[in-house]
Structure formats: C-alpha cells, structure tokens
Amino acid sequence: MADKKDQQTEQNVDQTVEQQKAQQQAAQAAEDALQQDAAAAEAETAGTSADQTDKIAELELALSKAEAQVKEQRDSVLRTQAEMENVRRRASQDVEKAHKFALEKFANELLTSVDNLERALQLADQQDESSRNFIEGIELTYKSLTSTLEKFGVKAVGEEGEAFNPDLHQAMSMQESSEHSNNTIMAVMQKGYELNGRLLRPAMVMVARNSDSGVDTKA
C-alpha cells in the first residue's frame, strides 16, 4: 500500500510539475506574442510618422515653388507696368516736342521776311513826310508779324548791352570800347531767334573789348 501511495504521490508531483511547465510555457508564449504585437505596433507607428514627414516635406516644397512663382509673376507685372509707363512718358514727350517744334521750318522761312522789314525800316528816311505813310505801313506789318511769331513761341534774342552768350550769340567782330563793359554786345547786325527755348539761329553781334583779356566767343 505504501508503495502505491508513493507512486501516486510521485505521479501527482510529476503532473504538477508538468502543469507548471505548461503554464510557464503558455505565459512565455503570451509574453512573446505581446512583445511581437508591441514591436509591430511600433513599426507601424514609425512607418506612419515617416509617411507624414514625407508628405509635410512635399507640401513645403510645393509651397516654396508656388511662392517663387507668385514672386516671379509679380516682378514681371511690375516690370511690364514700368515699361508701359516709360513708353507712355516718351510718347507724351514726343507729342509735346512735335507740338512745340512743328513750326520750326515755317518760322525759319518767316524770319527772312522779318529781316527784310527790319532793313527797310533802318534804311527808310524818317524825316521824309512823303514816305511817312509808307513807313508806318511797314512798321505795322513788322509788329503784326513779330507779334504772331511770339504767340507761337518764337522769341528774339540778342540786344545791345547784353552780356555775350556763345549759346545764343555769334560774334562777328570785336571792338575796343570804353563806353561798354567788357564782353558785352555793343551792336546787333542781325537778331537771333529761338522757338520754345530751342535756338533757331544765333544773333550776329559785335562784342565790346576794353581790356587785354579778350572775349570768349566759343561755347
């Protein structure tokens, strides 16, 4: 009987040991499974994070390209506007010049008539009563013509007593004079004219000289 009991006890112990081993193996398997699940979850999370990082990088790159394109287009628009403004300003200047100087050739032709009337008045005998009406007619014609020229921007230059200006005057001769300041006009042979500030022809003048310094007749 004792032997049977001992055998039974040993069997029970063996069974208990086997059960404990089985339980340990099951627990280890469960732990291994949990670790695998955790590793898989971590890997999935890492993959998702990497995908999000790539997408963010792509979006940032696309935004940068869009901003660069907008800046380039804005600069192009500004350049176009500046070019249009320059073209408009040049066209306006050309039109203004055309208006100002369209009469240049015509005015030059009329100056010959003005010169002839001036010579006629200079040569006329102011003391001759028989020629008085004729002289007055010449004077009226001369004043009317010069007044019309002035209305259209034609202005005479070169008057006795003015300082010599090589940009406006042409020195035909120089003469010693104590009555005039050095480098001043003492006589006008032919008046000069300008059209809206542009010289049509220089005045032909005689320049006074009362020292050894001479006169600057060059522009």
Side-chain angles (χ1 to χ4, degrees):
M1 294 291 293
D3 292 336
K4 288 182 180 180
K5 287 181 180 181
D6 291 338
Q7 291 178 353
Q8 184 68 36
T9 301
E10 288 179 358
Q11 289 177 355
N12 290 336
V13 170
D14 291 339
Q15 290 178 356
T16 300
V17 170
E18 291 295 333
Q19 290 176 354
Q20 288 179 349
K21 286 182 179 180
Q23 289 176 356
Q24 288 178 353
Q25 290 176 352
Q28 184 65 40
E31 184 177 355
D32 292 341
L34 288 174
Q35 289 179 352
Q36 290 177 356
D37 291 341
E42 184 177 354
E44 183 178 358
T45 301
T48 302
S49 177
D51 292 340
Q52 291 177 347
T53 301
D54 292 341
K55 288 182 179 179
I56 291 174
E58 291 177 359
L59 291 174
E60 288 179 347
L61 180 60
L63 178 60
S64 178
K65 290 182 178 179
E67 290 177 345
Q69 185 176 6
V70 169
K71 183 178 183 300
E72 182 179 356
Q73 291 177 349
R74 182 172 61 250
D75 293 342
S76 177
V77 170
L78 291 175
R79 286 194 299 269
T80 302
Q81 289 178 343
E83 291 175 358
M84 291 178 62
E85 183 62 28
N86 289 334
V87 171
R88 188 181 298 110
R89 183 169 58 254
R90 286 194 297 268
S92 178
Q93 291 174 350
D94 291 342
V95 171
E96 183 180 358
K97 288 180 180 179
H99 287 164
K100 281 186 176 181
F101 307 116
L103 298 177
E104 185 171 352
K105 292 183 179 180
F106 180 65
N108 274 317
E109 294 296 329
L110 288 181
L111 293 182
T112 302
S113 298
V114 173
D115 293 338
N116 291 333
L117 291 173
E118 287 179 346
R119 293 190 188 97
L121 290 173
Q122 291 172 358
L123 296 174
D125 186 358
Q126 301 291 338
Q127 304 301 322
D128 187 1
E129 291 296 333
S130 62
S131 302
R132 190 62 194 167
N133 291 334
F134 177 72
I135 294 172
E136 288 179 354
I138 295 176
E139 289 177 344
L140 290 174
T141 303
Y142 174 76
K143 290 180 180 179
S144 176
L145 182 56
T146 54
S147 176
T148 300
L149 288 172
E150 288 178 358
K151 288 181 180 179
F152 288 92
V154 179
K155 178 183 177 183
V157 295
E159 296 290 341
E160 184 177 342
E162 291 181 352
F164 177 78
N165 182 352
D167 293 331
L168 301 176
H169 311 137
Q170 181 179 352
M172 305 304 294
S173 65
M174 293 180 291
Q175 185 172 334
E176 296 284 347
S177 175
S178 59
E179 298 178 358
H180 298 81
S181 300
N182 190 51
N183 209 38
T184 60
I185 297 173
M186 60 182 299
V188 179
M189 289 80 162
Q190 185 183 68
K191 288 184 178 180
Y193 289 89
E194 60 182 9
L195 173 62
N196 293 314
R198 177 188 288 182
L199 187 67
L200 292 176
R201 74 178 190 193
M204 297 180 181
V205 298
M206 179 185 293
V207 184
R209 180 179 62 187
N210 55 18
S211 69
D212 296 332
S213 60
V215 179
D216 182 10
T217 60
K218 296 182 180 179

